[in-house]
Each structure stands twice: as structure tokens, then as C-alpha cells.
Amino acid sequence: MILYAEHDLNASTFAARVTASTQADFYSSVCSALSTLRGPLHGGALAGTIELIDSFSAPRDAAHYVRSALARGQILSGFGHRVYRKDSEGGGDDPRSTMIKAWASELAQTDKKRQRKMAIAEAIEDAILEEKGLRPNVDYYTALVFDFLGIPQNIFVALFALARLAGWSAHIIEQGEEKKLIRPISNYVGPVDLPYIPLDSRNDDELWHFPRDVPRTMLH
């Protein structure tokens, strides 16, 4: 829980501060943080990690799938971090992950099924490091620790949130006292001069006649 404590201005913390900046109440601000934490690119990565590991029966199968998935551009849960980047001082190592992996390894020794899961997890880790140079973040081996302890997947995010709550609370109180609205400025940078198609003349594709792969808004 200490290793999962709130740090820096991650997505859920920022969401809490944005809500608090509107002078919304404390509970509403926490709800914003919880909703943001649930996303698969944030705390939701915990469940995604276990689902990935459980989908394989052997380390070799896992490594083969990972390489083909990465070649297709698929994002896999539990790897990379916006702060602990490859070009950062630590070379992309999340120091929390190193400690949690040691606990996962210790727990795995008590059961052959756990040992197989640990071997699959390490095969995935090795393949992603080789292909993308990405190392596990705190979610990857924490998901295994939770699983080895018999914690149901549907409360993984709740445990994550408990660890973050003290930090969220401090941010919410601080932002609320400032009484200053957080209001980023955005500039539209998408396509212009597009033809107008009446609603009753559009097919399903034309309801989305903006190119989906073109960025349309830049925040400042």
C-alpha cells in the first residue's frame, strides 16, 4: 500500500484537483479520481495484467503472442510509465516494481501453479523488454501479488484507491483552498472546410466524417 501511495500529478490526482477547483465537495472530487483510476491505462491495468497472464499455458506461448501483438501495435497492460521513462535517470526502471517482483517471486515458491504464472509473467517481461525496451511498472507484478493472495480481481482497483486516498485528500484540500478554477486552453487543429451532410442523408461512417486518426485538439 505504501508503494502504491499517490505521487506526482498522475491522471486520477489531476482529475481530483480539477473537480476540487470548481469548489465541488470532497466526495465528488474523490469520485472523479476513482472514475479516472478505473481506466485500463491507469489502475485498470491491474486486471488487464492478470487477464493477459492467465490467457497462456506456457512461457513460450506468452512470448510468441507478445511479439506478434506488439508488431500489430497492441498496447499491453503493466509496462511503461510516464515518469519512469527510458530516457529518464533510472533508464525506465520503476523502483516499486523491483520490490514487488521480489514479493511475487517469494509467494510463487509455495505453489506449482503460481510458479507457472510467475514464469509466464517473466517471459512476457523479457519479450517486451527485447522488442520495445519497456520495463514493468508498479501494476504488473502487483497484479500477481494480489492474485497469489487470493484477492478477487473486481477489488484490485479499490485497493489501489485506498493507497491513493491520503494523497488525493491532500490535493483536494489544497486545491479547494486556492479557490482557483483549473481551466486549460485548447486549440482546434483538425481538418477544416468539410462539407455539411444533412443527418437524414448520412450513413454510419459519415456520422464520423472527421478522420479518426487525425488529432483535433491540442491542450495548453
Side-chain angles (χ1 to χ4, degrees):
M1 297 293 278
I2 292 174
L3 291 179
Y4 250 139
E6 185 279 325
H7 68 111
D8 201 56
L9 199 60
N10 52 74
S12 52
T13 301
F14 182 64
R17 291 198 72 122
V18 170
T19 304
S21 77
T22 70
Q23 296 295 291
D25 62 83
F26 179 88
Y27 301 101
S28 298
S29 301
V30 170
C31 283
S32 292
L34 286 169
S35 299
T36 307
L37 187 68
R38 181 65 185 87
L41 295 184
H42 201 358
L46 285 163
T49 294
I50 285 298
E51 290 169 4
L52 177 66
I53 294 170
D54 282 347
S55 65
F56 304 109
S57 58
R60 186 193 310 183
D61 298 334
H64 176 75
Y65 171 83
V66 164
R67 290 186 174 92
S68 62
L70 293 175
R72 296 192 303 270
Q74 185 175 338
I75 297 175
L76 300 177
S77 296
F79 289 86
H81 196 278
R82 293 300 299 271
V83 176
Y84 304 115
R85 303 171 66 91
K86 288 189 289 184
D87 56 357
S88 64
E89 184 176 342
D93 279 330
D94 185 335
R96 302 167 299 172
S97 178
T98 303
M99 297 178 68
I100 294 172
K101 181 179 180 179
W103 297 334
S105 296
E106 183 177 342
L107 289 167
Q109 300 310 309
T110 62
D111 180 87
K112 286 189 177 181
K113 183 178 179 181
R114 291 180 182 177
Q115 290 172 14
R116 179 180 60 82
K117 281 191 175 185
M118 190 69 193
I120 290 171
E122 289 178 324
I124 294 171
E125 177 187 357
D126 291 343
I128 292 179
L129 180 60
E130 180 182 336
E131 295 294 322
K132 291 292 185 180
L134 295 176
R135 298 182 183 275
N137 57 41
V138 67
D139 300 322
Y140 190 66
Y141 284 106
T142 297
L144 264 187
V145 169
F146 285 175
D147 183 69
F148 290 166
L149 292 174
I151 297 170
Q153 286 187 35
N154 61 0
I155 65 169
F156 280 9
V157 176
L159 290 177
F160 194 159
L162 283 174
R164 290 282 162 104
L165 190 56
W168 286 348
S169 299
H171 278 281
I172 291 167
I173 293 168
E174 180 182 69
Q175 189 65 48
E177 290 176 346
E178 288 187 9
K179 295 183 171 57
K180 184 177 181 180
L181 182 67
I182 296 175
R183 173 61 164 86
I185 302 298
S186 65
N187 292 330
Y188 176 76
V189 295
V192 296
D193 298 327
L194 295 173
Y196 174 78
I197 302 173
L199 286 174
D200 57 3
S201 301
R202 301 178 193 178
N203 57 38
D204 289 342
D205 290 336
E206 288 170 335
L207 288 174
W208 295 93
H209 57 276
F210 286 108
R212 298 189 187 188
D213 58 345
V214 176
R216 293 191 288 276
T217 304
M218 295 185 67
L219 298 179
H220 300 277

